[in-house]
PDB file of all heavy atoms in Angstrom:
ATOM      1  N   GLU Y  98     154.547 109.583 252.924  1.00 97.00           N
ATOM      2  CA  GLU Y  98     154.366 108.780 254.142  1.00 97.00           C
ATOM      3  C   GLU Y  98     153.077 107.960 254.034  1.00 97.00           C
ATOM      4  O   GLU Y  98     151.984 108.532 253.910  1.00 97.00           O
ATOM      5  CB  GLU Y  98     154.300 109.696 255.366  1.00 97.00           C
ATOM      6  CG  GLU Y  98     155.583 110.470 255.590  1.00 97.00           C
ATOM      7  CD  GLU Y  98     155.415 111.663 256.524  1.00 97.00           C
ATOM      8  OE1 GLU Y  98     154.265 112.091 256.762  1.00 97.00           O
ATOM      9  OE2 GLU Y  98     156.446 112.164 257.007  1.00 97.00           O
ATOM     10  N   VAL Y  99     153.230 106.651 254.053  1.00 98.00           N
ATOM     11  CA  VAL Y  99     152.080 105.749 253.906  1.00 98.00           C
ATOM     12  C   VAL Y  99     151.523 105.428 255.287  1.00 98.00           C
ATOM     13  O   VAL Y  99     152.262 105.026 256.196  1.00 98.00           O
ATOM     14  CB  VAL Y  99     152.492 104.450 253.174  1.00 98.00           C
ATOM     15  CG1 VAL Y  99     151.287 103.510 253.021  1.00 98.00           C
ATOM     16  CG2 VAL Y  99     153.097 104.778 251.805  1.00 98.00           C
ATOM     17  N   ALA Y 100     150.233 105.622 255.450  1.00 97.00           N
ATOM     18  CA  ALA Y 100     149.596 105.337 256.739  1.00 97.00           C
ATOM     19  C   ALA Y 100     149.573 103.832 256.995  1.00 97.00           C
ATOM     20  O   ALA Y 100     149.497 103.028 256.064  1.00 97.00           O
ATOM     21  CB  ALA Y 100     148.163 105.886 256.749  1.00 97.00           C
ATOM     22  N   SER Y 101     149.631 103.468 258.272  1.00 97.00           N
ATOM     23  CA  SER Y 101     149.506 102.051 258.626  1.00 97.00           C
ATOM     24  C   SER Y 101     148.072 101.594 258.361  1.00 97.00           C
ATOM     25  O   SER Y 101     147.155 102.411 258.216  1.00 97.00           O
ATOM     26  CB  SER Y 101     149.841 101.844 260.103  1.00 97.00           C
ATOM     27  OG  SER Y 101     148.843 102.462 260.916  1.00 97.00           O
ATOM     28  N   ARG Y 102     147.881 100.282 258.323  1.00 97.00           N
ATOM     29  CA  ARG Y 102     146.532  99.754 258.118  1.00 97.00           C
ATOM     30  C   ARG Y 102     145.601 100.223 259.231  1.00 97.00           C
ATOM     31  O   ARG Y 102     144.451 100.585 258.988  1.00 97.00           O
ATOM     32  CB  ARG Y 102     146.563  98.223 258.069  1.00 97.00           C
ATOM     33  CG  ARG Y 102     145.186  97.599 257.906  1.00 97.00           C
ATOM     34  CD  ARG Y 102     145.255  96.089 257.740  1.00 97.00           C
ATOM     35  NE  ARG Y 102     145.784  95.738 256.433  1.00 97.00           N
ATOM     36  CZ  ARG Y 102     145.785  94.495 255.956  1.00 97.00           C
ATOM     37  NH1 ARG Y 102     145.294  93.505 256.682  1.00 97.00           N
ATOM     38  NH2 ARG Y 102     146.267  94.230 254.757  1.00 97.00           N
ATOM     39  N   GLU Y 103     146.107 100.252 260.457  1.00 97.00           N
ATOM     40  CA  GLU Y 103     145.292 100.694 261.596  1.00 97.00           C
ATOM     41  C   GLU Y 103     144.872 102.157 261.432  1.00 97.00           C
ATOM     42  O   GLU Y 103     143.728 102.520 261.710  1.00 97.00           O
ATOM     43  CB  GLU Y 103     146.069 100.528 262.913  1.00 97.00           C
ATOM     44  CG  GLU Y 103     146.345  99.088 263.327  1.00 97.00           C
ATOM     45  CD  GLU Y 103     147.437  98.419 262.504  1.00 97.00           C
ATOM     46  OE1 GLU Y 103     148.252  99.137 261.885  1.00 97.00           O
ATOM     47  OE2 GLU Y 103     147.455  97.164 262.473  1.00 97.00           O
ATOM     48  N   GLU Y 104     145.799 102.983 260.964  1.00 97.00           N
ATOM     49  CA  GLU Y 104     145.468 104.399 260.726  1.00 97.00           C
ATOM     50  C   GLU Y 104     144.411 104.538 259.633  1.00 97.00           C
ATOM     51  O   GLU Y 104     143.463 105.316 259.769  1.00 97.00           O
ATOM     52  CB  GLU Y 104     146.728 105.171 260.306  1.00 97.00           C
ATOM     53  CG  GLU Y 104     147.673 105.508 261.441  1.00 97.00           C
ATOM     54  CD  GLU Y 104     148.928 106.202 260.912  1.00 97.00           C
ATOM     55  OE1 GLU Y 104     149.690 105.573 260.152  1.00 97.00           O
ATOM     56  OE2 GLU Y 104     149.130 107.378 261.249  1.00 97.00           O
ATOM     57  N   SER Y 105     144.575 103.791 258.552  1.00 98.00           N
ATOM     58  CA  SER Y 105     143.621 103.862 257.437  1.00 98.00           C
ATOM     59  C   SER Y 105     142.224 103.485 257.892  1.00 98.00           C
ATOM     60  O   SER Y 105     141.244 104.149 257.550  1.00 98.00           O
ATOM     61  CB  SER Y 105     144.066 102.934 256.296  1.00 98.00           C
ATOM     62  OG  SER Y 105     145.326 103.317 255.802  1.00 98.00           O
ATOM     63  N   VAL Y 106     142.139 102.419 258.668  1.00 98.00           N
ATOM     64  CA  VAL Y 106     140.830 101.967 259.181  1.00 98.00           C
ATOM     65  C   VAL Y 106     140.220 103.041 260.074  1.00 98.00           C
ATOM     66  O   VAL Y 106     139.015 103.322 260.004  1.00 98.00           O
ATOM     67  CB  VAL Y 106     140.987 100.630 259.941  1.00 98.00           C
ATOM     68  CG1 VAL Y 106     139.714 100.277 260.709  1.00 98.00           C
ATOM     69  CG2 VAL Y 106     141.338  99.510 258.966  1.00 98.00           C
ATOM     70  N   GLU Y 107     141.051 103.670 260.907  1.00 97.00           N
ATOM     71  CA  GLU Y 107     140.557 104.721 261.804  1.00 97.00           C
ATOM     72  C   GLU Y 107     140.081 105.953 261.034  1.00 97.00           C
ATOM     73  O   GLU Y 107     139.069 106.568 261.387  1.00 97.00           O
ATOM     74  CB  GLU Y 107     141.643 105.124 262.806  1.00 97.00           C
ATOM     75  CG  GLU Y 107     141.642 104.305 264.075  1.00 97.00           C
ATOM     76  CD  GLU Y 107     140.321 104.399 264.809  1.00 97.00           C
ATOM     77  OE1 GLU Y 107     140.081 105.396 265.509  1.00 97.00           O
ATOM     78  OE2 GLU Y 107     139.495 103.485 264.667  1.00 97.00           O
ATOM     79  N   ILE Y 108     140.825 106.329 260.003  1.00 98.00           N
ATOM     80  CA  ILE Y 108     140.415 107.485 259.185  1.00 98.00           C
ATOM     81  C   ILE Y 108     139.015 107.260 258.630  1.00 98.00           C
ATOM     82  O   ILE Y 108     138.137 108.132 258.724  1.00 98.00           O
ATOM     83  CB  ILE Y 108     141.426 107.729 258.035  1.00 98.00           C
ATOM     84  CG1 ILE Y 108     142.756 108.248 258.593  1.00 98.00           C
ATOM     85  CG2 ILE Y 108     140.855 108.717 257.007  1.00 98.00           C
ATOM     86  CD1 ILE Y 108     143.897 108.241 257.583  1.00 98.00           C
ATOM     87  N   LEU Y 109     138.788 106.083 258.071  1.00 98.00           N
ATOM     88  CA  LEU Y 109     137.477 105.791 257.482  1.00 98.00           C
ATOM     89  C   LEU Y 109     136.395 105.629 258.547  1.00 98.00           C
ATOM     90  O   LEU Y 109     135.255 106.037 258.343  1.00 98.00           O
ATOM     91  CB  LEU Y 109     137.564 104.541 256.597  1.00 98.00           C
ATOM     92  CG  LEU Y 109     138.380 104.741 255.309  1.00 98.00           C
ATOM     93  CD1 LEU Y 109     138.663 103.411 254.633  1.00 98.00           C
ATOM     94  CD2 LEU Y 109     137.659 105.682 254.345  1.00 98.00           C
ATOM     95  N   ARG Y 110     136.757 105.057 259.691  1.00 97.00           N
ATOM     96  CA  ARG Y 110     135.774 104.900 260.776  1.00 97.00           C
ATOM     97  C   ARG Y 110     135.297 106.265 261.273  1.00 97.00           C
ATOM     98  O   ARG Y 110     134.093 106.509 261.423  1.00 97.00           O
ATOM     99  CB  ARG Y 110     136.381 104.120 261.952  1.00 97.00           C
ATOM    100  CG  ARG Y 110     135.374 103.868 263.084  1.00 97.00           C
ATOM    101  CD  ARG Y 110     136.065 103.407 264.360  1.00 97.00           C
ATOM    102  NE  ARG Y 110     136.863 104.446 264.984  1.00 97.00           N
ATOM    103  CZ  ARG Y 110     136.382 105.459 265.718  1.00 97.00           C
ATOM    104  NH1 ARG Y 110     135.077 105.584 265.916  1.00 97.00           N
ATOM    105  NH2 ARG Y 110     137.202 106.360 266.252  1.00 97.00           N
ATOM    106  N   ILE Y 111     136.251 107.179 261.493  1.00 98.00           N
ATOM    107  CA  ILE Y 111     135.910 108.520 261.982  1.00 98.00           C
ATOM    108  C   ILE Y 111     135.063 109.260 260.950  1.00 98.00           C
ATOM    109  O   ILE Y 111     134.055 109.887 261.283  1.00 98.00           O
ATOM    110  CB  ILE Y 111     137.190 109.312 262.326  1.00 98.00           C
ATOM    111  CG1 ILE Y 111     137.860 108.706 263.559  1.00 98.00           C
ATOM    112  CG2 ILE Y 111     136.886 110.793 262.549  1.00 98.00           C
ATOM    113  CD1 ILE Y 111     139.272 109.200 263.808  1.00 98.00           C
ATOM    114  N   TYR Y 112     135.477 109.164 259.677  1.00 98.00           N
ATOM    115  CA  TYR Y 112     134.718 109.823 258.612  1.00 98.00           C
ATOM    116  C   TYR Y 112     133.257 109.362 258.608  1.00 98.00           C
ATOM    117  O   TYR Y 112     132.332 110.189 258.614  1.00 98.00           O
ATOM    118  CB  TYR Y 112     135.374 109.543 257.255  1.00 98.00           C
ATOM    119  CG  TYR Y 112     134.492 109.881 256.080  1.00 98.00           C
ATOM    120  CD1 TYR Y 112     134.317 111.202 255.669  1.00 98.00           C
ATOM    121  CD2 TYR Y 112     133.798 108.877 255.398  1.00 98.00           C
ATOM    122  CE1 TYR Y 112     133.489 111.516 254.609  1.00 98.00           C
ATOM    123  CE2 TYR Y 112     132.961 109.187 254.341  1.00 98.00           C
ATOM    124  CZ  TYR Y 112     132.813 110.505 253.950  1.00 98.00           C
ATOM    125  OH  TYR Y 112     131.970 110.808 252.893  1.00 98.00           O
ATOM    126  N   HIS Y 113     133.040 108.056 258.604  1.00 98.00           N
ATOM    127  CA  HIS Y 113     131.671 107.519 258.522  1.00 98.00           C
ATOM    128  C   HIS Y 113     130.881 107.817 259.795  1.00 98.00           C
ATOM    129  O   HIS Y 113     129.673 108.069 259.724  1.00 98.00           O
ATOM    130  CB  HIS Y 113     131.702 106.018 258.239  1.00 98.00           C
ATOM    131  CG  HIS Y 113     132.096 105.690 256.821  1.00 98.00           C
ATOM    132  ND1 HIS Y 113     131.318 106.049 255.745  1.00 98.00           N
ATOM    133  CD2 HIS Y 113     133.190 105.067 256.316  1.00 98.00           C
ATOM    134  CE1 HIS Y 113     131.913 105.650 254.624  1.00 98.00           C
ATOM    135  NE2 HIS Y 113     133.039 105.057 254.951  1.00 98.00           N
ATOM    136  N   LYS Y 114     131.538 107.797 260.921  1.00 97.00           N
ATOM    137  CA  LYS Y 114     130.840 108.085 262.185  1.00 97.00           C
ATOM    138  C   LYS Y 114     130.310 109.521 262.195  1.00 97.00           C
ATOM    139  O   LYS Y 114     129.140 109.762 262.520  1.00 97.00           O
ATOM    140  CB  LYS Y 114     131.766 107.865 263.380  1.00 97.00           C
ATOM    141  CG  LYS Y 114     131.092 108.159 264.734  1.00 97.00           C
ATOM    142  CD  LYS Y 114     132.059 108.004 265.898  1.00 97.00           C
ATOM    143  CE  LYS Y 114     131.346 108.178 267.229  1.00 97.00           C
ATOM    144  NZ  LYS Y 114     130.718 109.509 267.396  1.00 97.00           N
ATOM    145  N   ILE Y 115     131.177 110.471 261.834  1.00 98.00           N
ATOM    146  CA  ILE Y 115     130.748 111.879 261.834  1.00 98.00           C
ATOM    147  C   ILE Y 115     129.620 112.088 260.825  1.00 98.00           C
ATOM    148  O   ILE Y 115     128.630 112.766 261.109  1.00 98.00           O
ATOM    149  CB  ILE Y 115     131.929 112.820 261.528  1.00 98.00           C
ATOM    150  CG1 ILE Y 115     132.997 112.703 262.625  1.00 98.00           C
ATOM    151  CG2 ILE Y 115     131.448 114.272 261.407  1.00 98.00           C
ATOM    152  CD1 ILE Y 115     134.292 113.427 262.315  1.00 98.00           C
ATOM    153  N   LEU Y 116     129.760 111.464 259.664  1.00 97.00           N
ATOM    154  CA  LEU Y 116     128.747 111.647 258.623  1.00 97.00           C
ATOM    155  C   LEU Y 116     127.407 111.040 259.039  1.00 97.00           C
ATOM    156  O   LEU Y 116     126.346 111.638 258.835  1.00 97.00           O
ATOM    157  CB  LEU Y 116     129.235 111.015 257.325  1.00 97.00           C
ATOM    158  CG  LEU Y 116     128.574 111.551 256.057  1.00 97.00           C
ATOM    159  CD1 LEU Y 116     128.833 113.035 255.881  1.00 97.00           C
ATOM    160  CD2 LEU Y 116     129.053 110.778 254.848  1.00 97.00           C
ATOM    161  N   ASP Y 117     127.459 109.849 259.627  1.00 95.00           N
ATOM    162  CA  ASP Y 117     126.219 109.205 260.100  1.00 95.00           C
ATOM    163  C   ASP Y 117     125.550 110.069 261.169  1.00 95.00           C
ATOM    164  O   ASP Y 117     124.330 110.253 261.157  1.00 95.00           O
ATOM    165  CB  ASP Y 117     126.515 107.809 260.661  1.00 95.00           C
ATOM    166  CG  ASP Y 117     126.890 106.815 259.569  1.00 95.00           C
ATOM    167  OD1 ASP Y 117     126.660 107.120 258.388  1.00 95.00           O
ATOM    168  OD2 ASP Y 117     127.423 105.739 259.901  1.00 95.00           O
ATOM    169  N   ASP Y 118     126.343 110.576 262.095  1.00 96.00           N
ATOM    170  CA  ASP Y 118     125.799 111.436 263.153  1.00 96.00           C
ATOM    171  C   ASP Y 118     125.210 112.727 262.575  1.00 96.00           C
ATOM    172  O   ASP Y 118     124.201 113.231 263.074  1.00 96.00           O
ATOM    173  CB  ASP Y 118     126.881 111.786 264.179  1.00 96.00           C
ATOM    174  CG  ASP Y 118     127.304 110.582 265.018  1.00 96.00           C
ATOM    175  OD1 ASP Y 118     126.588 109.563 264.976  1.00 96.00           O
ATOM    176  OD2 ASP Y 118     128.346 110.668 265.699  1.00 96.00           O
ATOM    177  N   ALA Y 119     125.843 113.250 261.525  1.00 96.00           N
ATOM    178  CA  ALA Y 119     125.385 114.512 260.927  1.00 96.00           C
ATOM    179  C   ALA Y 119     123.961 114.390 260.405  1.00 96.00           C
ATOM    180  O   ALA Y 119     123.153 115.317 260.530  1.00 96.00           O
ATOM    181  CB  ALA Y 119     126.319 114.932 259.795  1.00 96.00           C
ATOM    182  N   GLY Y 120     123.635 113.223 259.836  1.00 92.00           N
ATOM    183  CA  GLY Y 120     122.295 113.015 259.297  1.00 92.00           C
ATOM    184  C   GLY Y 120     121.229 112.875 260.360  1.00 92.00           C
ATOM    185  O   GLY Y 120     120.043 113.090 260.093  1.00 92.00           O
ATOM    186  N   ASP Y 121     121.649 112.528 261.581  1.00 92.00           N
ATOM    187  CA  ASP Y 121     120.694 112.328 262.684  1.00 92.00           C
ATOM    188  C   ASP Y 121     120.616 113.521 263.633  1.00 92.00           C
ATOM    189  O   ASP Y 121     119.894 113.480 264.620  1.00 92.00           O
ATOM    190  CB  ASP Y 121     121.090 111.075 263.493  1.00 92.00           C
ATOM    191  CG  ASP Y 121     121.010 109.811 262.652  1.00 92.00           C
ATOM    192  OD1 ASP Y 121     120.159 109.764 261.744  1.00 92.00           O
ATOM    193  OD2 ASP Y 121     121.801 108.884 262.899  1.00 92.00           O
ATOM    194  N   THR Y 122     121.389 114.570 263.346  1.00 95.00           N
ATOM    195  CA  THR Y 122     121.466 115.717 264.252  1.00 95.00           C
ATOM    196  C   THR Y 122     120.495 116.817 263.827  1.00 95.00           C
ATOM    197  O   THR Y 122     120.295 117.051 262.636  1.00 95.00           O
ATOM    198  CB  THR Y 122     122.909 116.281 264.249  1.00 95.00           C
ATOM    199  OG1 THR Y 122     123.804 115.253 264.683  1.00 95.00           O
ATOM    200  CG2 THR Y 122     123.042 117.478 265.174  1.00 95.00           C
ATOM    201  N   ASN Y 123     119.885 117.476 264.800  1.00 95.00           N
ATOM    202  CA  ASN Y 123     119.082 118.669 264.512  1.00 95.00           C
ATOM    203  C   ASN Y 123     120.022 119.878 264.483  1.00 95.00           C
ATOM    204  O   ASN Y 123     120.446 120.361 265.527  1.00 95.00           O
ATOM    205  CB  ASN Y 123     118.000 118.860 265.582  1.00 95.00           C
ATOM    206  CG  ASN Y 123     116.920 117.805 265.479  1.00 95.00           C
ATOM    207  OD1 ASN Y 123     116.481 117.472 264.376  1.00 95.00           O
ATOM    208  ND2 ASN Y 123     116.489 117.273 266.612  1.00 95.00           N
ATOM    209  N   HIS Y 124     120.333 120.302 263.284  1.00 97.00           N
ATOM    210  CA  HIS Y 124     121.312 121.378 263.129  1.00 97.00           C
ATOM    211  C   HIS Y 124     120.641 122.738 263.258  1.00 97.00           C
ATOM    212  O   HIS Y 124     119.494 122.926 262.858  1.00 97.00           O
ATOM    213  CB  HIS Y 124     121.984 121.282 261.756  1.00 97.00           C
ATOM    214  CG  HIS Y 124     122.724 120.008 261.544  1.00 97.00           C
ATOM    215  ND1 HIS Y 124     124.013 119.815 261.973  1.00 97.00           N
ATOM    216  CD2 HIS Y 124     122.344 118.845 260.947  1.00 97.00           C
ATOM    217  CE1 HIS Y 124     124.396 118.591 261.653  1.00 97.00           C
ATOM    218  NE2 HIS Y 124     123.404 117.985 261.021  1.00 97.00           N
ATOM    219  N   LYS Y 125     121.392 123.687 263.767  1.00 97.00           N
ATOM    220  CA  LYS Y 125     120.923 125.070 263.816  1.00 97.00           C
ATOM    221  C   LYS Y 125     120.827 125.584 262.380  1.00 97.00           C
ATOM    222  O   LYS Y 125     121.747 125.372 261.570  1.00 97.00           O
ATOM    223  CB  LYS Y 125     121.931 125.902 264.620  1.00 97.00           C
ATOM    224  CG  LYS Y 125     121.546 127.354 264.789  1.00 97.00           C
ATOM    225  CD  LYS Y 125     122.649 128.082 265.546  1.00 97.00           C
ATOM    226  CE  LYS Y 125     122.380 129.586 265.558  1.00 97.00           C
ATOM    227  NZ  LYS Y 125     123.504 130.331 266.151  1.00 97.00           N
TER     228      LYS Y 125
END
Side-chain angles (χ1 to χ4, degrees):
E98 297 163 344
V99 180
S101 67
R102 178 175 288 189
E103 292 74 21
E104 283 177 296
S105 299
V106 169
E107 271 301 280
I108 290 168
L109 291 168
R110 183 194 69 78
I111 291 167
Y112 166 77
H113 287 295
K114 180 183 185 299
I115 297 171
L116 202 61
D117 289 346
D118 291 347
D121 297 329
T122 300
N123 290 318
H124 299 276
K125 182 182 172 186

